Structures are given as structure tokens and as C-alpha cells.
Amino acid sequence: MSDPLPSVTRTYQNHHLDSTRWEAYVPRASDIIVTTSYKAGTTWTQQILLELIHGNTEPMPGFRDVTPWPDARFLPISKEDLGPFLENIPGRRFLKSHLPLDGLPYYPEVKYVIVGRDCRDVFMSFYNHYSSYTQIAMDMMNTADIVGDKLPPCPEDPRELWRQWMTRGWFEWESEGYPFWSNLAHTQSYWEYRHLPNFYFMHYNNMLEDLEGSIAKLAEFLGENPTPEHLARIVENTTFANIKAKAVEADAKGDHRGLIFEGGSAGFFFKGTNGRWRDILTEEDLVLYETAKARVLSPDCARWLEQGGVVEKLC
């Protein structure tokens, strides 16, 4: 049985993460935190929230101006400056986190949106993401003040990365996720508290299959009430193709993704599809997945990650 409320029991600090930066955060009752392990629809969900909350604002605020990522240690804003930066964000804030729940502060007044995706589909996006890092990106992750080991280069063979990712953790309490951080354990940490009224689970599959319905349900959870016209505009503006096109356009105007990823946003927003793992992973590889799944996930959480669907609130 889980404790009644979550609490921070671990510190996550590595080449990407610094969970202590959340100490600069002062919650507002209207805040939203979007949390995923990675490559599970984080940016997609943030884009939906941008359109939902600011879609009727002229001009619409910039994406990074209203949806920061506090636990990113490599961003050019110090922990000391992070608090004032967050405080100066106007209106309803929606923040991003890649921390498991044992490293992310919990506030009953804040809404948490947990986005999940089949681990095997996450991996294909993860490999594309990691293997596309430029030397500038690697240098940014591996600065002199890094806590722990440096991020190693991505293996050329995706199956080599898969074997590491499925069998080894970066932190001593993890058993999968290397060389980033846990993927399966991230979702499980929130799943154990799915009864909490301020937790909402979204699945990548459902967003692909019924984007309008997914957005409408999310809006209802958040207490937002878009008009039918606004909802239709959100759906149109947040299709994968349109998000990618806007990001590529931003690259041409000097957006940072062109420095971080080979191919810029065209590489970051690669396919957005599921099932590509079937052409890469062998039966031997999938045994590693089944072993990790049994080791880390409860059966109901495993089913949800593979299949999606509504997460029922359990009392």
C-alpha cells in the first residue's frame, strides 16, 4: 500500500537532470505539470496545452516562455534565476518534468498530467533522439559541473543501445533506462498513486487514434472549456505534421534545435508513429523487455503502457 501522499525521497542529478532545481518552484493553484520519462508525447502534450490555454491570445506567447523544464540542468538559466523566471510567467503555467514521482515535489493543488507510451515505441524515438545529438549537445550535457559520469556517445547499433537500456539503470536504485534514466519505473511511480484526484493519465496511442477526444478529456480534467471552434483549431494545430512544420519553420529563424540535433526539428519530430520496433528488435531482444516489464511494472500498469485506454480512479 502506498503512502497517502507522495513525497520526495531521492535526488536525481546526472548529465540531463537536476531534481534539486524544483526547490526554486513556488506552486500556484492553477499550475499544470506534464511529466513523462521521455519520448512519450511530452512536447506534443505541451503544444496542446499552449493552444488550449493561450490559443485565443494575440499574439500567442512563445512556447518556451510559458512551459519551462525546471529539472533540466543544462539549460542556460541558473537555479538561482529559475525562481524569478517561473514567478514571472503570466497566467496559467504548465511545466515539464522528466522526474519519477519520488524525485518530483507533490502539491495537492497542482494538476499532474502523466503521459505514457509503449516502452518499445519509446525506444525507437529515444534512439533517434539520442543518436541525433550534435557535438554541441554532447558538450552541453557533459559540462565540468556534471554530477556523476558523462553521457557516453550513442551506440551506432540500436540493438546495442536496447540491451543497455533494458538491463541497466543510470542511478543505483534503477534497473533500466541507461544511459538516461528509468523509463518503466517512471510510469510505475505515478501509477501507484493513480487514485489521486489531481493525477491524469494520457496515452500516446489514444492521442494518435482520437486526438480530438483526448484533448476534450484533458480540457475537462483541467477545468478548461474550449468552444467547439477553439477545440477544432487545437486539433488542427497539434497534428504531428503541423507541429513538425512549425518547428522546422522556427529552425529557419534561429531556433536552438538546429544546434542540438542533426537535422534540427526535422530530426527531433521524426516519425511520430508506433510499431517501428518490430523491424529492429529480435525475439532475444524482446525477452529482455518481458523480463524488465515483470521486474519493474505491476501487471495493470504494463497493460496500460502497451494498450492505452482510460485509467480508472481506484479508491
Side-chain angles (χ1 to χ4, degrees), residues 275-304:
R276 291 185 291 126
W277 55 269
R278 291 185 174 88
D279 297 326
I280 301 295
L281 302 179
T282 65
E283 290 187 13
E284 180 183 4
D285 296 328
L286 294 176
V287 168
L288 298 180
Y289 163 64
E290 293 296 334
T291 302
K293 182 174 73 172
R295 184 174 68 244
V296 178
L297 298 177
S298 61
D300 48 5
C301 184
R303 281 193 299 272
W304 181 73

Side-chain angles (χ1 to χ4, degrees), residues 8 41 47 51 102 117 126 248 280 284 293 305 308:
V8 172
Q47 290 283 358
E51 294 284 342
D102 58 7
R117 190 182 187 188
F126 168 53
V248 171
I280 301 295
E284 180 183 4
K293 182 174 73 172
L305 278 174

Side-chain angles (χ1 to χ4, degrees), residues 200-219:
Y200 184 75
F201 288 78
M202 294 183 67
H203 199 282
Y204 197 95
N205 288 8
N206 302 124
M207 295 164 73
L208 280 178
E209 295 165 2
D210 181 11
L211 182 56
E212 181 175 347
S214 296
I215 294 172
K217 291 174 184 175
L218 175 63

Side-chain angles (χ1 to χ4, degrees), residues 179-197:
F180 274 39
W181 53 92
S182 69
N183 167 60
L184 297 175
H186 176 280
T187 305
Q188 184 66 45
S189 71
Y190 291 91
W191 188 261
E192 292 172 4
Y193 290 90
R194 63 193 182 280
H195 59 279
L196 292 174

Side-chain angles (χ1 to χ4, degrees), residues 35-70:
T35 177
T36 73
S37 62
Y38 38 87
K39 310 313 296 178
T42 325
T43 305
W44 192 6
T45 305
Q46 290 172 280
Q47 290 283 358
I48 289 170
L49 291 172
L50 179 65
E51 294 284 342
L52 177 64
I53 294 169
H54 297 288
N56 292 322
T57 305
E58 283 291 344
M60 183 184 291
F63 181 80
R64 292 180 187 84
D65 295 331
V66 291
T67 180
W69 178 12

